[in-house]
Amino acid sequence: MAYQYIVAVIVSLLGLVFLYKRITNRAKASSSVFGEENCVELTGDGEVDDGSRTDIIIVGAGVAGAALAYTLGKDGRRVRVIERDLNEPDRIVGELLQPGGYLKLIELGLEDCVEQIDAQRVYGYALFKDGKNTKLSYPLENFRSDVAGRSFHNGRFIQRMRNKAATLPNVSLEQGSVTSLIEEKGTIKGIQYKTKGGEEFTAYAPLTIVCDGGFSNLRRALCDPKVDVPSCFVGLILENCELPHANHGHVILADPSPILFYPISSTEVRCLVDVPGQKVPSVSNGEMAHYLKTMVAPQIPPELYTAFITAVNKGNIRTMTNRSMPAAPLPTPGALLMGDAFNMRHPLTGGGMTVALSDIVLLRDLLRPLYNLHDASSLSRYLESFYTLRKPVASTINTLAGALYKVFSVSPDAAMEEMREACFDYLSLGGSFSTGPISLLSGLNPHPVSLVLHFFSVAIYGVGRLLLPFPSPARIWTGVRLISGASGIIFPIIRAEGIRQMFFPATVPAYYRAPPVD
């Protein structure tokens, strides 16, 4: 009997140890704890999720996906995130968050994600043209002291948000490549994805939100993408140098298109050289280094010249295409598009993260009244209001980015060169002439009417300069072409964004959609 008692005790202890290990392993997996290499551990144990344990699937854990996961998880939703690579991203854009975007971070409870990553405060911009420069400060007087722009390493910021989302017990992050959406009778039911090891899995949820970035392979099922590639960025990091205007972004109105400088840490300055078109000089055979030294370097401020040449000689030259794509959703029951997968604009103005975070705040508020997400058709009809309600803010930032890029780029048309010069001089006037446009760019006052008024104020200012002190037939004709050219820049962008949704959203029936009754 004593022998049997001892055996029973030993077996019981072994069982408890086994159970303890399973519980702790599952806890680690479900909380998606980050390891030493900034990699999120794979969650789940291989079984198919039939949707009963997940409310929302999010495809992608970049800025939009990670912020959305935390936001919806904090509201009590059971969120499952599938991200292709959970290691720290290394990108040359998504590094400057405008003050309007920072305000959205505060609304979402994510403002601490710009801490502990050596992020730099940004208080405005400095413009340089033909040896002249002017400083444009954000109008931050009416905001609390921490409100400003932030610039940082994109990957560090994303990892901070992933970490924060992973602390919620109802949010899981998994590494895997989503290969397709699962559709049944016109409704998206879930996703199919592959793990890093090549295993195929299926996951289901009442709502799938696709945030897989500008190169999304899923968006064609959910929108009508019209992607334009106006230019490419060539990226460098300048080390241990001081910008002419501390804590400001710098825009050089260079030939043929703008050059950007902004701090991304206390010791590093990001340089982005815009190259029009879809092809850039080859990096591998030295053509790019020659181009940067001979064409670009002579146009940058002298304070940055030595650091720029040193960065070119160091050889860590990165390139990426700049894409723009108006939002053209195809409302689909069971699914939603967000982030760069849904809507892109030229990154010149650094507005992408502001748009994404603003969209997340809006979607959070729309979903909060809903307990049950399983009525896909009713939910889809209700969420059509999302596409309308986001338009005034998103379209203002998108239109400004596209219009400024065209105005700031060199043109063979003398009238457009007058517009370029007029824009620089208009912003240099100070007062409302600079605070109005910088309020638009910063996301603090993203109103479409204000955008149009300031844009044509620049054009009229340019015409006025042409006609004074004495108009001539040639100057009058140049003025006419300037107004025509300005119209040709901004109106096609507005038309692509949607005139009615952008300026008159209250006339769109979806604007008034009420949440479905559970």
Side-chain angles (χ1 to χ4, degrees):
M1 291 293 291
Y3 172 79
Q4 291 176 339
Y5 176 79
I6 292 170
V7 170
V9 169
I10 291 173
V11 170
S12 298
L13 288 172
L14 289 173
L16 286 171
V17 169
F18 176 77
L19 182 60
Y20 173 79
K21 285 186 175 181
R22 270 192 71 97
I23 291 171
T24 53
N25 286 339
R26 272 190 170 274
K28 287 179 181 178
S30 64
S31 62
S32 305
V33 178
F34 283 73
E36 293 180 355
E37 299 179 357
N38 288 323
C39 181
V40 181
E41 293 180 6
L42 188 66
T43 66
D45 51 12
E47 76 271 15
V48 174
D49 183 355
D50 63 1
S52 62
R53 292 178 290 126
T54 304
D55 297 315
I56 297 172
I57 292 171
I58 297 175
V59 181
V63 171
L68 185 62
Y70 175 76
T71 300
L72 298 179
K74 192 172 65 169
D75 277 1
R77 306 288 184 187
R78 296 168 298 176
V79 180
R80 187 173 186 179
V81 184
I82 311 295
E83 161 60 35
R84 182 182 58 82
D85 185 357
L86 286 166
N87 291 294
E88 181 174 307
D90 183 15
R91 303 180 64 207
I92 64 171
V93 292
E95 297 173 320
L96 197 152
L97 179 67
Q98 297 289 358
Y102 182 75
L103 289 173
K104 296 301 177 183
L105 272 189
I106 293 173
E107 282 193 63
L108 298 172
L110 288 166
E111 68 272 23
D112 59 332
C113 292
V114 296
E115 298 173 2
Q116 301 176 23
I117 59 172
D118 200 14
Q120 303 299 296
R121 295 196 180 197
V122 178
Y123 296 109
Y125 279 85
L127 291 183
F128 291 74
K129 185 179 187 296
D130 300 331
K132 302 178 291 183
N133 73 86
T134 186
K135 190 164 73 169
L136 311 172
S137 297
Y138 295 137
L140 301 173
E141 299 81 9
N142 298 323
F143 297 94
R144 68 192 210 190
S145 61
D146 66 313
V147 175
R150 294 292 193 283
S151 51
F152 39 66
H153 282 270
N154 171 268
R156 296 176 186 174
F157 177 54
I158 287 175
Q159 290 302 89
R160 286 280 288 165
M161 289 199 293
R162 288 175 178 174
N163 263 316
K164 189 157 185 176
T167 63
L168 300 176
N170 50 321
V171 175
S172 69
L173 282 80
E174 303 180 35
Q175 185 161 298
S177 298
V178 177
T179 55
S180 63
L181 301 173
I182 300 171
E183 181 181 353
E184 183 180 309
K185 297 179 180 179
T187 298
I188 302 301
K189 297 291 187 178
I191 59 169
Q192 289 183 328
Y193 68 99
K194 288 184 179 180
T195 65
K196 190 176 181 179
E199 296 176 283
E200 294 189 359
F201 290 87
T202 304
Y204 295 88
L207 180 61
T208 299
I209 303 178
V210 176
C211 311
D212 58 343
F215 296 92
S216 171
N217 65 331
L218 302 175
R219 65 168 157 238
R220 289 192 176 277
L222 304 174
C223 75
D224 181 20
K226 292 181 174 62
V227 179
D228 180 39
V229 182
S231 66
C232 299
F233 266 160
V234 180
L236 298 164
I237 292 180
L238 281 57
E239 297 179 329
N240 299 311
C241 66
E242 293 187 6
L243 290 165
H245 298 276
N247 299 105
H248 282 67
H250 290 55
V251 182
I252 319 301
L253 274 61
D255 182 1
S257 52
I259 304 166
L260 306 180
F261 294 92
Y262 52 87
I264 55 173
S265 76
S266 55
T267 60
E268 298 165 303
V269 170
R270 169 67 73 194
C271 171
L272 294 174
V273 178
D274 187 84
V275 179
Q278 300 183 23
K279 293 184 178 180
V280 297
S282 171
V283 174
S284 59
N285 66 11
E287 288 180 6
M288 177 61 77
H290 178 74
Y291 174 82
L292 293 173
K293 290 179 179 179
T294 58
M295 297 295 294
V296 177
Q299 302 186 73
I300 68 175
E303 300 96 321
L304 300 172
Y305 182 85
T306 301
F308 181 82
I309 295 297
T310 301
V312 174
N313 289 335
K314 193 173 180 180
N316 188 20
I317 302 171
R318 307 271 303 278
T319 63
M320 63 158 284
T321 55
N322 294 325
R323 298 177 156 223
S324 61
M325 184 185 76
L330 301 173
T332 305
L336 198 68
L337 267 175
M338 292 193 74
D340 283 353
F342 175 46
N343 183 203
M344 294 181 284
R345 76 292 309 148
H346 196 284
L348 172 68
T349 58
M353 289 189 288
T354 300
V355 171
L357 295 170
S358 177
D359 284 352
I360 290 168
V361 170
L362 175 59
L363 182 62
R364 175 201 67 184
D365 293 344
L366 288 173
L367 289 178
R368 270 184 172 170
L370 304 181
Y371 174 75
N372 183 7
L373 302 178
H374 285 272
D375 188 343
S377 59
S378 296
L379 179 62
S380 176
R381 179 175 168 79
Y382 169 58
L383 289 181
E384 285 181 24
S385 60
F386 167 76
Y387 300 123
T388 302
L389 292 168
R390 70 179 295 275
K391 271 293 181 181
V393 171
S395 294
T396 299
I397 293 172
N398 296 344
T399 303
L400 178 65
L404 267 187
Y405 176 70
K406 291 185 178 181
V407 170
F408 281 177
S409 298
V410 170
S411 170
D413 186 341
M416 287 297 93
E417 278 304 292
E418 284 290 340
M419 180 73 175
R420 187 170 181 248
E421 183 72 33
C423 186
F424 179 85
D425 291 344
Y426 180 91
L427 293 171
S428 300
L429 293 173
S432 61
F433 301 103
S434 62
T435 56
I438 202 72
S439 293
L440 291 163
L441 186 147
S442 64
L444 296 172
N445 180 36
H447 293 305
V449 173
S450 179
L451 168 63
V452 172
L453 288 176
H454 278 288
F455 187 80
F456 280 102
S457 293
V458 171
I460 293 167
Y461 175 74
V463 172
R465 297 190 328 161
L466 285 168
L467 300 183
L468 294 174
F470 301 105
S472 67
R475 284 174 168 264
I476 292 173
W477 177 238
T478 301
V480 170
R481 289 192 296 113
L482 192 157
I483 295 294
S484 174
S487 301
I489 287 174
I490 197 167
F491 286 138
I493 303 174
I494 290 174
R495 192 179 303 116
E497 290 290 332
I499 297 172
R500 185 181 178 190
Q501 293 91 337
M502 185 172 173
F503 292 94
F504 312 105
T507 68
V508 180
Y511 185 87
Y512 301 99
R513 294 275 161 81
V517 179
D518 289 335

